[in-house]
Amino acid sequence: MPCGLRQLSSLHRLTRFILPQKNALAKNYCRLGELNELNNIRGSLSIENLGHITDAKTESRVANLIEKHSLDSLALQWGNFDTDDAVIGNRDEALLDGLRPHSNLQKLTINGYNGESFPRWMMGSLVSSLPNLVGLRLWNCGRCKHLPQFGPSKLKRLEITEMKFLEYLPEECWKSLSSLEFLRIKYCPRLTSLSLGMQHLSNLVDLSIRSCEELDLSKDKTGKILDFQGLKSLRSVEIIHLPKLASLPQWLLQLSNLERLEISSCVNLKALPEHMKALQSLQRLRIFRCEGLQSLVT
């Protein structure tokens, strides 16, 4: 972005703000400080190449995102850069901490963040910092081991993708998400189990779980059989590339309102149980690339 953008103080629409990828170019192009006085921008904003910022603490605060009260949607994207150095993780934590948006924000995407934990304004309780948030996308947050603390919220859509160190989903995370309608969990290779707390997702309509190699859909982390009696609104379920899936979990067979079920690339699935007949609302069943499947009933 060209220098001098900060002078457009009456600007209403700025969908992309692209930072320079090389320090040698920084003096000729916009830094985050150029956003400081652009407090009239509204709609959606994507800030890109955050991974190339060096003075994270100072630059993030001068961006002054917390004063941009008319923004509905914000995407914070780090881009591709070397993540081997632990210093990068500390820098990212300071950077995201200073990029706290205004409480009016409705949709937030964080992509490529490499801190080990999310900042205080996310971990304390999202409902206190972003009470109007209805959509949250966490993509490629490679070092994070824990999800934010949601608190009682209006969140309707949650996507968790490429969180490589996420091992389990704490029960307390889900108890306050009764408004959630759409849940995507993808490419989390260390995730071993779902949480019994998901039974509180009484308004969940669409669930998709993909490419979680260690995930057991039937039991929680203590070995207790999962029972999601509260998922009365669930209409669509996708289960894709779960190598540990040998049989369909009991909670899935209790979804009396389920209309669509897709099972793909689950190589160890051997059979579909007779209890499938309980899914009396099912309109579409799609099964493919399940090479181990030998029969449709047991």
Side-chain angles (χ1 to χ4, degrees), residues 36 46 52 57 86 125-126 157 160 164 196 201 205 214 217 240 245 266-267 284 289 294:
N36 185 271
S46 174
H52 299 276
K57 187 172 183 179
S125 174
L126 268 179
R157 185 182 183 103
I160 303 167
K164 298 176 182 177
L196 189 59
L201 304 181
V205 174
E214 298 298 320
L217 290 181
I240 301 174
L245 184 73
C266 295
V267 295
R284 181 181 181 188
R289 294 179 183 170
Q294 299 173 358

Side-chain angles (χ1 to χ4, degrees), residues 31-98:
R31 305 303 296 261
L32 277 175
E34 295 281 348
L35 290 171
N36 185 271
E37 298 178 29
L38 303 185
N39 294 333
N40 290 309
I41 56 175
R42 57 196 62 191
S44 62
L45 170 65
S46 174
I47 303 177
E48 303 172 27
N49 295 331
L50 285 166
H52 299 276
I53 286 178
T54 52
D55 190 354
K57 187 172 183 179
T58 301
E59 285 206 49
S60 62
R61 296 194 184 281
V62 297
N64 198 25
L65 293 187
I66 201 167
E67 293 296 328
K68 293 166 180 40
H69 53 83
S70 294
L71 272 184
D72 298 322
S73 175
L74 175 66
L76 302 174
Q77 308 202 53
W78 268 254
N80 297 318
F81 62 101
D82 186 6
T83 60
D84 292 335
D85 193 344
V87 174
I88 291 176
N90 295 332
R91 182 200 63 192
D92 280 9
E93 289 177 14
L95 182 57
L96 187 54
D97 185 48

Side-chain angles (χ1 to χ4, degrees), residues 96-238:
L96 187 54
D97 185 48
L99 290 173
R100 176 176 176 173
H102 192 276
S103 59
N104 288 342
L105 195 74
Q106 297 180 27
K107 298 178 182 179
L108 175 63
T109 296
I110 297 175
N111 187 352
Y113 173 70
N114 278 283
E116 290 188 2
S117 63
F118 292 105
R120 290 169 293 177
W121 57 268
M122 293 182 70
M123 295 305 292
S125 174
L126 268 179
V127 70
S128 61
S129 55
L130 298 174
N132 298 296
L133 197 69
V134 295
L136 176 63
R137 304 166 80 183
L138 303 175
W139 286 11
N140 192 22
C141 299
R143 296 184 181 185
C144 283
K145 298 180 180 179
H146 307 288
L147 296 178
Q149 297 298 314
F150 299 110
S153 72
K154 300 178 181 178
L155 202 65
K156 292 185 177 182
R157 185 182 183 103
L158 176 62
E159 297 183 46
I160 303 167
T161 302
E162 291 187 73
M163 291 189 66
K164 298 176 182 177
F165 282 88
L166 184 68
E167 296 181 359
Y168 66 96
L169 305 171
E171 185 171 348
E172 56 271 18
C173 280
W174 307 99
K175 289 182 177 180
S176 58
L177 293 179
S178 59
S179 296
L180 198 68
E181 298 176 358
F182 182 99
L183 176 61
R184 290 283 186 270
I185 302 173
K186 301 190 296 184
Y187 304 106
C188 296
R190 298 193 186 189
L191 184 65
T192 58
S193 65
L194 300 179
S195 166
L196 189 59
M198 288 178 62
Q199 65 183 316
H200 298 286
L201 304 181
S202 56
N203 284 301
L204 188 66
V205 174
D206 194 317
L207 173 65
S208 178
I209 304 173
R210 175 194 293 258
S211 298
C212 299
E213 289 84 353
E214 298 298 320
L215 183 60
D216 184 345
L217 290 181
S218 298
K219 300 176 182 179
D220 68 7
K221 66 174 183 175
T222 66
K224 184 177 180 180
I225 298 295
L226 291 170
D227 185 2
F228 296 150
Q229 293 284 348
L231 300 183
K232 302 295 186 182
S233 301
L234 200 54
R235 299 290 189 274
S236 176
V237 172
E238 285 183 345

